[in-house]
């Protein structure tokens, strides 16, 4: 028998709020099929929890998060959030497009991180549709010059359960009146031992990316590409996260250039395994990059169910375009113009043995 997962008081509060006020307020939404259970909120179009079975059939929550809505509003770790209008960093908090220089909020050491001070992770999205055994779709209309970015942008994010052990994320964005950069990302932190299972250094990871985009001291790409082979960034063959982390400045926080796949197919991004639980996570995407972040800056963060998240308490696996692409002409462009559509797809599969 599978254990029944517990819904926290925070989730119950959100559910009651959603029922009382409808789709224009912060609410809680479940997706459930078989033994795959997702809890989500329209605050930041965010994942609150993902429950999957371990090798013994016991359900466990494998994503980091909070019990209290105020913690989400004051969150600096982007737990489970949808990131935009441009995920990752933009150097010197500015870029030039069609002859005009746009100044952005400098919320990260003189640079812009994850869309500015109030990115898509910190707004209330509209719930367009929800069917518990199928999907939920969140929408957001970003206004012209929101956080300094040009033009209106219509955005939707759909979470959908597939079978009994997969879910997909579909992110769509359409500029209305001006060209604009778009680079959305899904910022869930994973710990396959359970969200309160300690560090992820013993997780075995394989990343299907042969190169990285190296960065400077402020984590802005230099514009170069470097091979990972023989370096601490080499996860071309499966190995534990902690096996060479001491050869780095204490953490992984790097964009991988994902290897090309067959035409018209998603890229296989990575595989994560955890031996004690037997859980395995596999990820596919249509994006060209993966930000691999091992939570090295987490510091006694109070999380769900009384958990305390310490350094390396979870890993963020963010498929994306390359960071700071707006300032590097040799990086694939993230500029989307009216009449064009930005599309970002992800598929997650969970097994245990």
């Amino acid at each position: 028998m599978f254990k029944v997962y517990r819904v926290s008081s925070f989730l119950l509060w959100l559910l009651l709020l959603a029922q009382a006020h409808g789709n224009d307020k912060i609410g809680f939404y479940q997706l459930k099929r078989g033994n795959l259970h997702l809890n989500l909120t329209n605050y930041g179009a965010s994942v609150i929890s993902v429950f999957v079975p371990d090798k013994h059939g016991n359900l466990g929550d494998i994503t980091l998060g909070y019990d209290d809505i105020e913690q989400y509003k004051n969150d600096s770790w982007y737990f489970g959030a949808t990131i935009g209008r441009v995920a990752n960093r933009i150097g010197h908090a500015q870029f030039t497009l069609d002859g005009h220089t746009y100044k952005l909020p400098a919320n990260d050491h003189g640079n812009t991180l994850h869309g500015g001070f109030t990115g898509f992770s910190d707004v209330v999205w509209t719930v367009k549709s929800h069917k518990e055994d199928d999907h939920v779709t969140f929408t957001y209309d970003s206004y012209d010059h929101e956080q300094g970015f040009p033009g209106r942008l219509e955005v939707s994010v759909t979470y959908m359960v597939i079978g009994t052990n997969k879910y997909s994320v579909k992110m769509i964005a359409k500029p209305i009146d001006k060209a604009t950069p778009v680079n959305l990302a899904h910022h869930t932190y994973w710990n396959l031992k359970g969200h309160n299972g300690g560090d992820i250094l013993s997780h075995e990871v394989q990343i299907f990316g042969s190169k990285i985009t190296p960065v400077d001291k402020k984590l802005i790409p230099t514009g170069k590409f470097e091979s990972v082979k023989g370096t601490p960034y080499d996860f071309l063959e499966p190995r534990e996260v902690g096996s060479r982390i001491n050869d780095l400045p204490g953490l992984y926080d790097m964009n991988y250039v994902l290897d090309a796949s067959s035409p018209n197919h998603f890229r296989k991004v990575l595989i994560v395994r955890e031996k004690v639980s037997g859980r395995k996570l596999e990820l596919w995407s249509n994006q060209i990059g993966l930000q691999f972040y091992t939570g090295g800056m987490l510091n006694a963060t109070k999380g769900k169910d009384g958990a305390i998240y310490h350094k390396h308490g979870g890993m963020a696996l963010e498929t994306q375009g390359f960071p700071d692409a707006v300032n590097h002409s040799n990086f694939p462009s993230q500029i989307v113009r009216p009449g064009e559509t930005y599309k970002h797809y992800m598929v997650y599969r969970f097994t245990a043995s």
Side-chain angles (χ1 to χ4, degrees):
M1 293 293 292
F2 292 95
K3 290 184 178 179
V4 177
Y5 68 101
R6 186 174 71 84
V7 178
S8 71
S9 58
F10 166 56
L11 300 185
L12 290 174
W13 179 86
L14 283 178
L15 179 58
L16 292 172
L17 192 64
Q19 292 172 340
H21 296 285
N23 289 345
D24 59 338
K25 301 295 183 180
I26 298 172
F28 160 62
Y29 307 89
Q30 284 189 340
L31 295 178
K32 181 168 59 175
R33 190 183 294 173
N35 296 304
L36 173 62
H37 302 173
L38 281 76
N39 296 311
L40 308 106
T41 175
N42 60 330
Y43 186 83
S46 301
V47 170
I48 296 173
S49 55
V50 176
F51 287 83
V52 297
D54 64 12
K55 63 185 178 182
H56 302 296
N58 298 314
L59 287 182
D61 180 4
I62 59 171
T63 66
L64 277 57
Y66 299 116
D67 274 329
D68 184 270
I69 188 60
E70 294 304 319
Q71 289 179 284
Y72 277 96
K73 290 181 176 179
N74 296 309
D75 172 46
S76 58
W77 307 117
Y78 306 93
F79 284 159
T82 294
I83 306 298
R85 178 175 305 194
V86 175
N88 217 302
R89 291 172 175 84
I90 295 178
H92 304 291
Q94 67 179 33
F95 66 94
T96 299
L97 174 60
D98 296 337
H100 182 83
T101 298
Y102 294 91
K103 304 287 187 177
L104 309 173
N107 64 324
D108 184 68
H109 305 290
N111 306 302
T112 300
L113 175 65
H114 290 339
F117 288 111
T118 309
F120 292 176
S121 57
D122 291 311
V123 298
V124 179
W125 294 56
T126 298
V127 181
K128 182 179 180 181
S129 60
H130 174 225
K131 185 178 180 182
E132 186 174 285
D133 66 350
D134 189 70
H135 77 281
V136 62
T137 296
F138 302 115
T139 63
Y140 180 67
D141 293 337
S142 179
Y143 55 86
D144 185 20
H145 288 293
E146 183 173 10
Q147 297 296 294
F149 291 98
R152 293 174 51 217
L153 186 71
E154 294 181 349
V155 188
S156 69
V157 177
T158 298
Y159 295 92
M160 177 178 289
V161 288
I162 304 170
T164 58
N165 69 336
K166 296 189 289 290
Y167 81 86
S168 67
V169 186
K170 180 173 70 174
M171 297 175 166
I172 302 294
K174 297 181 179 180
I176 302 304
D177 50 7
K178 296 178 184 178
T180 183
V182 183
N183 184 30
L184 307 181
H186 180 43
H187 210 286
T188 290
Y189 286 72
W190 303 94
N191 187 326
L192 299 188
K193 289 186 287 187
H195 77 95
N196 56 354
D199 68 57
I200 48 80
L201 297 179
S202 63
H203 283 48
E204 186 180 84
V205 172
Q206 182 176 16
I207 299 175
F208 298 96
S210 301
K211 296 180 180 180
I212 56 172
T213 53
V215 295
D216 62 20
K217 292 182 179 180
K218 293 187 176 182
L219 302 180
I220 301 300
T222 63
K224 298 179 180 179
F225 298 91
E226 292 182 358
S227 172
V228 301
K229 290 183 178 179
T231 75
Y233 294 103
D234 187 350
F235 286 93
L236 292 170
E237 297 296 329
R239 64 180 177 86
E240 291 187 353
V241 172
S243 59
R244 295 194 64 183
I245 201 166
N246 290 333
D247 296 335
L248 300 171
L251 75 163
Y252 287 95
D253 192 5
M254 181 60 65
N255 175 64
Y256 282 75
V257 180
L258 297 173
D259 297 334
S261 61
S262 302
N264 302 318
H265 284 76
F266 284 4
R267 288 175 165 88
K268 184 70 172 285
V269 177
L270 87 168
I271 301 172
V272 183
R273 294 182 177 88
E274 200 284 306
K275 295 177 182 177
V276 176
S277 68
R279 293 187 180 105
K280 180 170 74 170
L281 179 158
E282 297 170 90
L283 172 60
W284 291 262
S285 178
N286 67 333
Q287 294 297 293
I288 58 174
L290 168 74
Q291 190 75 20
F292 179 55
Y293 173 56
T294 57
M297 290 179 281
L298 291 173
N299 182 19
T301 300
K302 184 178 179 180
K304 295 177 283 190
D305 305 323
I308 303 297
Y309 303 138
H310 294 284
K311 185 175 182 178
H312 305 306
M315 63 176 78
L317 311 170
E318 309 155 60
T319 53
Q320 61 180 5
F322 296 163
D324 199 31
V326 289
N327 292 312
H328 295 281
S329 59
N330 61 321
F331 285 1
S333 175
Q334 294 170 5
I335 304 303
V336 187
R337 299 183 179 276
E340 300 176 343
T341 301
Y342 167 91
K343 300 176 181 179
H344 182 171
Y345 304 121
M346 292 153 270
V347 176
Y348 296 83
R349 181 168 67 186
F350 306 93
T351 53
S353 61

